[in-house]
Amino acid sequence: MNGYTGKILRVDLSTSTFQVEEPKEDFYRRHLGGTGFVTYFLLKELKPGIDPLGPDNKLIFATGPLTGVPVSGTGRNSVAAKSPLTGGLGNAEVGGFWCAEVKFAGFDAIIIEGKANSPVYLWIQDGKVEIKDAAHLWGKPTKEVQDILKQTYGPGSRVCQIGPAGERLARIACIVNDLNHAAGRCGMGAVMGSKNLRAIVVRGHQKFPYARDADTLALIRRLIPELKANRTSQYFHTMGTAGVVKSLQTASGLPTRNFQEGQFEGAEQISGEWMNKTILKSHRGCFACTIRCKPEVAVGDPYHVIPEYGGPEYETIGSFGSNCGIDSLPAIAQANQMCAANGLDTIAAGVTIAFAMECFERGILTESDTGGIKLKFGNADAMLQMLENIISRKGLGDILAEGTARAAKKIGKGAEAYAIHIKGQEVPMHEPRFKAGLGIGYAISHTGADHCHNIHDSAYTTRTGAAMQAMGVLEPLPSGELSPAKVRMLLYGSLWQHVLDSLVFCQFVPLSSDNLVDLMRAVTGWNTNIFELTKTGERAVTMARVFNNREGLGKTDDYLPKRFLTPFVSGPLKGLAPTEAQVRECIDLYYSMMGWDNNGVPSRAKLEELGIGWVAGV
Amino acid sequence: MNGYTGKILRVDLSTSTFQVEEPKEDFYRRHLGGTGFVTYFLLKELKPGIDPLGPDNKLIFATGPLTGVPVSGTGRNSVAAKSPLTGGLGNAEVGGFWCAEVKFAGFDAIIIEGKANSPVYLWIQDGKVEIKDAAHLWGKPTKEVQDILKQTYGPGSRVCQIGPAGERLARIACIVNDLNHAAGRCGMGAVMGSKNLRAIVVRGHQKFPYARDADTLALIRRLIPELKANRTSQYFHTMGTAGVVKSLQTASGLPTRNFQEGQFEGAEQISGEWMNKTILKSHRGCFACTIRCKPEVAVGDPYHVIPEYGGPEYETIGSFGSNCGIDSLPAIAQANQMCAANGLDTIAAGVTIAFAMECFERGILTESDTGGIKLKFGNADAMLQMLENIISRKGLGDILAEGTARAAKKIGKGAEAYAIHIKGQEVPMHEPRFKAGLGIGYAISHTGADHCHNIHDSAYTTRTGAAMQAMGVLEPLPSGELSPAKVRMLLYGSLWQHVLDSLVFCQFVPLSSDNLVDLMRAVTGWNTNIFELTKTGERAVTMARVFNNREGLGKTDDYLPKRFLTPFVSGPLKGLAPTEAQVRECIDLYYSMMGWDNNGVPSRAKLEELGIGWVAGV
């Protein structure tokens, strides 16, 4: 072989040293990048049982072989570490411009080890690395920090950072690229904070060579107009992700009042259409993307929302909006900005507040707990005040900053019944009673309730249908139903999603799997194909499972919260919910399809079949 | 979808009726054709426990979606039924011109049911079918029969038939296309004989449409010169399969004297080079093939070998030559012709005679058993006399016509130790002590010792290396060694081989998996790929396993004969043989990799994953 390889930067904050590694091409071909990389390094290098917020944890930023290729979908990276939320493998993907800049600076991945004695940031430029004092940045909102760093290193430099929430080790803290792109899930921001690392500033001027330069450029020239003309692209360009609010509302798939309902009477006012008509200023995209699905909004008094922090996307609208019973887009936009400025995961923050609201309404929490805040569903001011308390870790906010699972345990009095999480990670804005297959995916996912590493189960939509047909799933399957065929689709979809996450390629960009293969061939020089790539995805899923097993997560951690086993009392899905036995059967079937035993432990044969027999010994 | 479909002809010889079925496109896409088809129909339609030579068996001839496409490799079909040799699924592939003619006559497959009261043959022309009296053909050699039929139906008609051996229900009888192409393995000739069906004559003038006509033609135009220029093609064109004799001799992989040794002192005289210098007249190919790997030879006194019957290929040279200790190519050519004229599998016949020779040398058989024949290794006359007796079922020949396994049981006196078969099927000319991975494949294969449904294990030869790399097996693996990685390669190789056998595409034609996918896309209109195709291969393997399990074949039937666990006493492989425990471990690993349980029974999850959950209920 004579194809794709790269460099990995390893920084030890405890010793203020770094080194550059150059894995062989075989390694790249087996693990690709992104999710594939991080599962490899975390499984291989982390000692079992370490404290996620201690110096033994490693925080990995990984790009993929396509990152920085100038076509839509390539502006992403993975972030990973042992998760302080789940105790298992933490992994989040994020877009923006920072990721491509890392590649241009000469690196595929950055592995952060140890812990700095005092706040620092990294400055990486074209292969050179400096560890710098961050005392002047600590405690400041993200925009202020980015402004300072860009002033220091020039407007072309790109900043990835945590905010004050991460500094304060909120387990629901995220990592932010370029102010409005968040690696939200799994509490990665707390890990970065625990290392006293506030930011990584990057500037790169290196052109990385494509294995087949002419092929790559010709392909890109062909793909760009195709992507622009594509209806899915145009939909995301016009509506962003917020466009789904209304159709989910119709289907009873819009999480409402802490997942108690699937329809929200205020749906219209939090819809993408409403946002377009009211607070939207413009759209923003990631590196090289022509879709530009991310909103920029502005809101005046009583709020103060500026376009630089972007605007609320669907998950944020759901979690702070319908799920908190709030129909005010301006208030949601304000919450979104607070999360971006302070580095909080909007899903986790919204769901945690919704949880607290339900506790309040049920009398488990009172005004004496909330510091006088009337934390009722629909009370936008209360939501924003509690969010501020989470950020500043004040009163009940200090408890909620740990996420629903830990908060519920601390609150007691039966609060755990209202903590809607899996493995400690808050459930995102996709209702398992509607998207039944995704519910099984939530239950099994190594990152807990996570919509990013699974296929959404409304099969044969424009996006998922083609990918599934390419994998031989020829029959459309209705939403809201569980069946062996659904489990199979979930399985294949999840494997393919892990390919995308390893590349690291955006799931919103409607590139066919064929085109993706062509792009991979041109860029890497490997004569790869859907079979080999899918096996790479399977390798990542399997290694993540082994990691979690090693950390003590097993069969009993794969479940769906009871709330989703209870049917809605009204609406189009009235009376419809899977039983616990059905869920268990689907999970067992999934295990078996994956070559895992009854306890969800990958068999030695499966490891050998994936060419990772060494994993049996970790 | 709006792609490939076709017609299946079902003939009931008991009632002299027929019907034409038109399965939906989904069915074609899930099962492709060839091996994929036959496993489906046999599993779905055969009653468990039926007599393979009774009227309840069904004999299926299946082409594939590529059959008849005018490019090398497409002139093949599968033949299948419950095997009278193994009691499991019988399945053999065969080349020639008959297969393409079936397609041109409007059919993808022909399913023969029941049993005719008296000898018949079928005449199929452009969708029309007639069942005709075959009294005048019965008992005649194949050439005579073909001459009569071509005189009746014109020189363009194509004949597939059994010979007198099949009429007499020899369990090692084969089915012959166009005089010199044999569906040799699994005793398919006996099944056809049991139905009183002597021949199927076909003539077709229908052009079948390609889903993407222009693409198909353009691709063919590109592929033909590429294939002609290919070194593997040129090698097979010049040497045929006989070219491997010398390299196998060097490696100690040339079965000698009933597999007692791996090197033969007379190898030079039975080599392809020797054949080219002495008896070769010309080469012949299959439909549309530019490689033309099949020899035509002529031999005079004391023999009488004519080119019309072709000439001995490697398997025949090995089985009648080195494995019988015979170094006379003319004698081997005579044996080959006798098999072609009478419809006997040359592998089974040669190995059975070698078995009898060893019994004779060890005193288990004597001249009184053989009717005075001095059945010693190296005695060419004795070999030919015994072959004649097998054909005419005379004396010991009557017993040997049942194959080694049954013959050994009948002979007793410890003869079974020298019967080199698996599941009742004679081991072909690939030495498991040299090709260690293939040995495991022999042990597991649903058709018993069968080299056609497995990858040959000398990895990273021109042929197998590229196919394996396309499936992500990046590391070359040495021959003669067993390892988990070897089992993985065997597994992937076997899955891909089942894709080829379902298409039905020749494994000798060096078309890359990419080109094959392109060809499939153009011909069928399906946006298929290596993943989907491999799953189709896996579906066929799994269904075949379920068929065999249902017939009572299980874990204990998956083994390697003790002879191959005993090292050679000399030569380059001296001292080298796998242990029984190693073989067992590899088999168990293979089961588990396939999603089969410890007893080799496919899990329900695997069936569901392959979209064939219904199979659990058969």
Side-chain angles (χ1 to χ4, degrees):
Chain A
M1 288 191 288
N2 190 17
Y4 187 90
T5 56
K7 289 179 183 168
I8 291 171
L9 172 64
R10 196 182 285 271
V11 180
D12 187 337
L13 293 176
S14 295
T15 58
S16 299
T17 56
F18 69 92
Q19 61 187 44
V20 176
E21 296 164 12
E22 300 188 45
K24 289 193 180 145
E25 189 177 347
D26 264 24
F27 170 79
Y28 281 90
R29 190 154 176 176
R30 280 202 187 85
H31 302 285
L32 294 175
T35 289
F37 265 27
V38 301
T39 50
Y40 173 88
F41 285 114
L42 293 178
L43 182 60
K44 184 123 185 170
E45 300 186 2
L46 281 202
K47 277 185 233 124
I50 58 154
D51 175 8
L53 298 180
D56 289 335
N57 203 356
K58 299 191 183 190
L59 180 66
I60 307 178
F61 299 82
T63 70
L66 298 181
T67 311
V69 175
V71 68
S72 302
T74 62
R76 291 178 76 75
N77 68 274
S78 286
V79 186
K82 179 173 175 179
S83 167
L85 268 181
T86 70
L89 191 127
N91 184 16
E93 274 73 43
V94 54
F97 292 82
W98 181 81
C99 4
E101 203 71 23
V102 169
K103 204 78 172 283
F104 300 145
F107 297 113
D108 291 284
I110 304 170
I111 301 175
I112 308 290
E113 305 182 350
K115 178 187 176 170
N117 286 328
S118 57
V120 296
Y121 69 93
L122 293 184
W123 161 236
I124 300 172
Q125 187 182 25
D126 293 327
K128 279 175 272 172
V129 187
E130 289 176 55
I131 300 171
K132 312 278 279 185
D133 181 31
H136 61 306
L137 307 176
W138 210 249
K140 291 196 168 67
T142 54
K143 179 168 183 303
E144 211 169 309
V145 166
Q146 178 166 300
D147 289 347
I148 293 169
L149 291 168
K150 284 200 176 234
Q151 217 155 13
T152 312
Y153 299 110
S157 61
R158 298 290 181 178
V159 180
C160 153
Q161 62 174 318
I162 54 170
E167 296 175 0
R168 294 171 194 138
L169 308 182
R171 285 180 198 259
I172 57 173
C174 68
I175 294 174
V176 179
N177 285 1
D178 312 298
L179 289 192
N180 69 329
H181 304 266
R185 312 313 316 273
C186 299
M188 295 297 98
V191 177
M192 193 158 165
S194 76
K195 299 196 169 303
N196 267 327
L197 179 63
R198 173 65 202 238
I200 304 177
V201 195
V202 181
R203 186 72 174 110
H205 300 84
Q206 301 184 19
K207 200 186 146 0
F208 59 92
Y210 306 123
R212 300 176 194 157
D213 204 54
D215 287 359
T216 308
L217 299 176
L219 186 61
I220 292 171
R221 266 194 296 273
R222 178 165 70 71
L223 290 178
I224 288 175
E226 272 180 33
L227 282 170
K228 277 189 182 165
N230 182 286
R231 282 177 56 190
T232 304
S233 296
Q234 289 172 352
Y235 175 83
F236 275 118
H237 176 70
T238 312
M239 294 302 301
T241 55
V244 300
V245 169
K246 286 175 89 163
S247 58
L248 288 177
Q249 163 73 3
T250 305
S252 192
L254 184 65
T256 299
R257 285 179 276 272
N258 201 31
F259 300 95
Q260 292 181 93
E261 295 147 82
Q263 292 186 311
F264 178 49
E265 66 282 3
E268 178 69 31
Q269 294 94 303
I270 61 170
S271 67
E273 289 80 353
W274 193 274
M275 181 155 66
N276 283 7
K277 276 190 288 190
T278 57
I279 62 176
L280 187 76
K281 292 300 151 199
S282 81
H283 278 284
R284 197 194 291 190
C286 297
F287 171 82
C289 190
T290 57
I291 297 179
R292 304 169 60 80
C293 70
K294 300 178 85 70
E296 289 189 348
V297 304
V299 179
D301 278 349
Y303 306 119
H304 177 64
V305 179
I306 57 173
E308 285 84 347
Y309 279 120
E313 300 178 54
Y314 168 66
E315 298 293 337
T316 310
I317 289 174
S319 57
F320 285 118
S322 53
N323 207 41
C324 285
I326 289 168
D327 64 3
S328 158
L329 255 186
I332 295 167
Q334 178 72 22
N336 180 69
Q337 176 167 299
M338 287 165 71
C339 287
N342 293 282
L344 265 191
D345 175 23
T346 58
I347 298 175
V351 172
T352 302
I353 292 174
F355 151 77
M357 284 177 163
E358 185 167 0
C359 288
F360 189 86
E361 297 220 343
R362 290 179 185 273
I364 296 170
L365 291 174
T366 62
E367 283 190 44
S368 81
D369 297 307
T370 62
I373 299 173
K374 290 187 186 6
L375 203 56
K376 300 192 78 157
F377 286 121
N379 185 341
D381 287 347
M383 179 269 285
L384 292 169
Q385 284 170 47
M386 190 48 71
L387 181 58
E388 181 53 49
N389 288 355
I390 290 174
I391 291 164
S392 57
R393 303 206 67 149
K394 203 179 105 188
L396 179 64
D398 183 48
I399 294 168
L400 297 181
E402 298 281 291
T404 39
R406 285 173 178 77
K409 202 167 250 175
K410 198 143 195 178
I411 293 167
K413 303 181 208 166
E416 282 180 285
Y418 314 110
I420 311 302
H421 70 89
I422 298 170
K423 298 184 182 66
Q425 171 126 277
E426 286 71 20
V427 173
M429 295 302 113
H430 304 271
E431 168 55 63
R433 278 160 289 195
F434 171 54
K435 300 181 176 180
L438 180 60
I440 304 299
Y442 280 168
I444 297 165
S445 174
H446 53 270
T447 46
D450 188 333
H451 63 298
C452 291
H453 297 133
N454 287 298
I455 192 173
H456 291 210
D457 108 314
S458 31
Y460 287 82
T461 60
T462 323
R463 278 196 299 135
T464 57
M468 286 299 93
Q469 194 173 70
M471 298 177 95
V473 180
L474 306 180
E475 59 287 328
L477 297 169
S479 269
E481 282 179 24
L482 291 176
S483 64
K486 183 65 72 69
V487 177
R488 174 199 191 201
M489 193 182 79
L490 172 74
L491 177 92
Y492 285 2
S494 158
L495 298 184
W496 189 248
Q497 187 55 49
H498 279 76
V499 174
L500 297 183
D501 289 343
S502 296
L503 291 182
V504 191
F505 192 84
C506 180
Q507 60 169 291
F508 289 166
V509 176
L511 213 58
S512 70
S513 35
D514 277 344
N515 278 334
L516 212 55
V517 166
D518 287 344
L519 195 56
M520 274 295 287
R521 288 180 173 196
V523 169
T524 63
W526 305 330
N527 189 35
T528 192
N529 55 61
I530 299 179
F531 181 90
E532 187 187 18
L533 290 177
T534 305
K535 281 289 163 197
T536 309
E538 191 177 353
R539 204 171 282 131
V541 176
T542 303
M543 290 169 81
R545 183 77 191 182
V546 172
F547 182 95
N548 276 14
N549 289 340
R550 191 175 67 176
E551 295 298 334
L553 289 163
K555 184 171 187 160
T556 51
D557 301 290
D558 296 340
Y559 63 88
L560 207 52
K562 287 227 159 36
R563 175 143 289 174
F564 300 122
L565 309 177
T566 313
F568 293 126
V569 292
S570 62
L573 295 182
K574 180 181 170 182
L576 229 164
T579 65
E580 196 161 352
Q582 279 177 317
V583 170
R584 191 71 255 162
E585 198 188 331
C586 288
I587 291 172
D588 288 346
L589 200 57
Y590 181 100
Y591 287 175
S592 188
M593 285 184 184
M594 280 296 288
W596 300 353
D597 72 12
N598 287 339
N599 290 312
V601 178
S603 70
R604 189 183 140 240
K606 176 51 75 179
L607 300 178
E608 295 288 3
E609 190 238 301
L610 295 171
I612 48 171
W614 63 268
V615 164
V618 297
Chain B
M1 286 191 289
N2 189 16
Y4 187 89
T5 55
K7 289 180 183 168
I8 291 172
L9 172 64
R10 195 182 286 268
V11 179
D12 187 335
L13 293 177
S14 296
T15 57
S16 299
T17 56
F18 69 92
Q19 60 186 47
V20 176
E21 295 164 12
E22 300 190 45
K24 290 194 180 144
E25 188 178 345
D26 265 26
F27 170 78
Y28 281 90
R29 190 153 175 178
R30 282 201 187 87
H31 301 285
L32 293 175
T35 288
F37 265 26
V38 301
T39 50
Y40 173 86
F41 284 113
L42 292 178
L43 182 59
K44 184 123 184 168
E45 299 186 5
L46 281 202
K47 277 184 234 124
I50 58 152
D51 175 8
L53 299 181
D56 289 336
N57 204 357
K58 300 190 183 191
L59 180 67
I60 307 178
F61 300 83
T63 69
L66 297 181
T67 311
V69 175
V71 67
S72 302
T74 60
R76 291 177 76 75
N77 67 275
S78 287
V79 186
K82 179 172 175 180
S83 167
L85 268 181
T86 69
L89 190 128
N91 183 15
E93 274 74 43
V94 55
F97 292 82
W98 182 81
C99 5
E101 203 70 25
V102 169
K103 205 75 172 281
F104 300 146
F107 297 112
D108 290 285
I110 303 170
I111 302 176
I112 309 290
E113 306 182 349
K115 179 187 175 170
N117 286 329
S118 58
V120 295
Y121 69 93
L122 293 183
W123 162 236
I124 300 172
Q125 188 181 24
D126 293 325
K128 280 175 272 170
V129 187
E130 289 177 54
I131 301 171
K132 311 280 279 187
D133 181 32
H136 62 303
L137 308 175
W138 209 250
K140 290 195 169 67
T142 53
K143 182 170 180 301
E144 213 170 307
V145 166
Q146 177 165 301
D147 288 347
I148 293 170
L149 291 169
K150 283 197 177 236
Q151 220 156 9
T152 311
Y153 299 110
S157 61
R158 297 290 180 179
V159 179
C160 154
Q161 61 174 317
I162 54 169
E167 295 176 0
R168 294 172 196 139
L169 308 183
R171 285 180 198 260
I172 58 172
C174 69
I175 294 173
V176 179
N177 286 1
D178 312 298
L179 288 191
N180 70 329
H181 304 266
R185 311 314 314 278
C186 300
M188 294 297 99
V191 177
M192 193 159 164
S194 77
K195 299 196 170 301
N196 268 327
L197 179 63
R198 174 61 202 241
I200 304 176
V201 194
V202 182
R203 186 73 174 110
H205 299 85
Q206 302 184 19
K207 202 186 149 355
F208 58 94
Y210 306 124
R212 300 174 193 158
D213 202 54
D215 287 1
T216 307
L217 299 177
L219 186 61
I220 292 172
R221 268 193 294 274
R222 178 165 71 70
L223 290 178
I224 289 175
E226 272 181 33
L227 282 170
K228 278 189 179 164
N230 183 286
R231 281 176 57 191
T232 303
S233 296
Q234 289 172 353
Y235 175 82
F236 275 118
H237 177 69
T238 313
M239 295 301 301
T241 56
V244 300
V245 169
K246 286 175 90 162
S247 59
L248 288 176
Q249 164 72 2
T250 305
S252 194
L254 185 65
T256 299
R257 285 179 277 271
N258 201 28
F259 299 97
Q260 292 181 91
E261 296 148 83
Q263 291 186 312
F264 178 47
E265 64 283 1
E268 179 69 31
Q269 293 95 302
I270 61 169
S271 68
E273 290 81 353
W274 194 273
M275 181 155 66
N276 282 6
K277 274 190 290 190
T278 56
I279 62 174
L280 188 76
K281 291 301 150 196
S282 84
H283 278 285
R284 199 194 289 190
C286 298
F287 170 83
C289 189
T290 57
I291 297 178
R292 302 169 61 80
C293 71
K294 301 180 84 70
E296 289 188 347
V297 303
V299 180
D301 278 349
Y303 305 120
H304 178 63
V305 178
I306 57 173
E308 284 83 347
Y309 280 119
E313 299 179 55
Y314 169 66
E315 298 292 337
T316 310
I317 289 173
S319 56
F320 285 117
S322 54
N323 207 41
C324 285
I326 289 167
D327 65 2
S328 161
L329 255 187
I332 294 166
Q334 178 71 26
N336 181 68
Q337 177 166 299
M338 286 166 72
C339 287
N342 294 282
L344 265 190
D345 174 24
T346 59
I347 297 175
V351 172
T352 302
I353 291 173
F355 152 75
M357 284 176 163
E358 185 167 358
C359 287
F360 189 86
E361 297 220 343
R362 291 180 186 273
I364 295 170
L365 291 174
T366 62
E367 283 190 44
S368 80
D369 295 308
T370 62
I373 299 172
K374 289 185 186 8
L375 203 57
K376 300 194 75 160
F377 286 121
N379 186 342
D381 288 345
M383 178 269 283
L384 292 170
Q385 284 169 46
M386 191 49 72
L387 181 58
E388 182 52 49
N389 288 354
I390 290 173
I391 291 164
S392 56
R393 302 206 68 148
K394 201 178 108 187
L396 180 63
D398 184 49
I399 295 168
L400 297 181
E402 298 281 290
T404 40
R406 284 172 178 79
K409 202 166 253 177
K410 197 140 195 182
I411 291 165
K413 303 180 210 167
E416 282 181 283
Y418 312 111
I420 311 303
H421 71 89
I422 297 169
K423 298 186 182 64
Q425 171 125 279
E426 288 70 21
V427 173
M429 296 301 113
H430 304 272
E431 169 55 63
R433 280 161 287 196
F434 172 53
K435 299 181 177 180
L438 180 59
I440 304 301
Y442 280 169
I444 297 165
S445 174
H446 52 271
T447 46
D450 187 331
H451 62 298
C452 290
H453 298 133
N454 287 298
I455 193 171
H456 290 209
D457 109 311
S458 31
Y460 286 82
T461 60
T462 322
R463 277 195 301 135
T464 57
M468 286 299 92
Q469 195 173 69
M471 299 178 92
V473 180
L474 305 179
E475 58 287 329
L477 299 168
S479 269
E481 282 179 25
L482 291 177
S483 64
K486 183 67 70 73
V487 176
R488 173 199 190 202
M489 194 182 79
L490 171 73
L491 177 90
Y492 285 3
S494 158
L495 298 184
W496 188 249
Q497 187 55 50
H498 279 77
V499 175
L500 297 182
D501 291 341
S502 297
L503 291 183
V504 191
F505 192 83
C506 180
Q507 62 170 289
F508 288 165
V509 176
L511 212 59
S512 70
S513 33
D514 278 345
N515 279 332
L516 213 53
V517 166
D518 287 344
L519 196 54
M520 274 295 288
R521 288 180 173 196
V523 169
T524 64
W526 305 330
N527 189 35
T528 191
N529 54 62
I530 299 180
F531 181 90
E532 187 187 17
L533 290 177
T534 304
K535 281 290 164 197
T536 308
E538 192 177 351
R539 203 171 284 133
V541 176
T542 303
M543 290 170 82
R545 183 78 190 182
V546 172
F547 182 94
N548 276 13
N549 288 341
R550 192 175 64 176
E551 295 299 332
L553 289 162
K555 184 170 186 161
T556 52
D557 301 290
D558 296 341
Y559 62 89
L560 208 50
K562 287 227 157 37
R563 176 143 289 173
F564 300 122
L565 309 176
T566 314
F568 294 126
V569 294
S570 63
L573 296 182
K574 181 182 169 181
L576 228 164
T579 66
E580 196 162 350
Q582 279 176 317
V583 171
R584 192 71 255 162
E585 197 187 330
C586 288
I587 291 173
D588 288 345
L589 202 55
Y590 181 100
Y591 286 175
S592 188
M593 285 182 183
M594 279 296 288
W596 301 351
D597 72 12
N598 286 340
N599 290 312
V601 177
S603 69
R604 188 182 141 241
K606 176 50 77 179
L607 300 179
E608 296 288 3
E609 191 237 302
L610 294 171
I612 47 170
W614 62 269
V615 165
V618 298

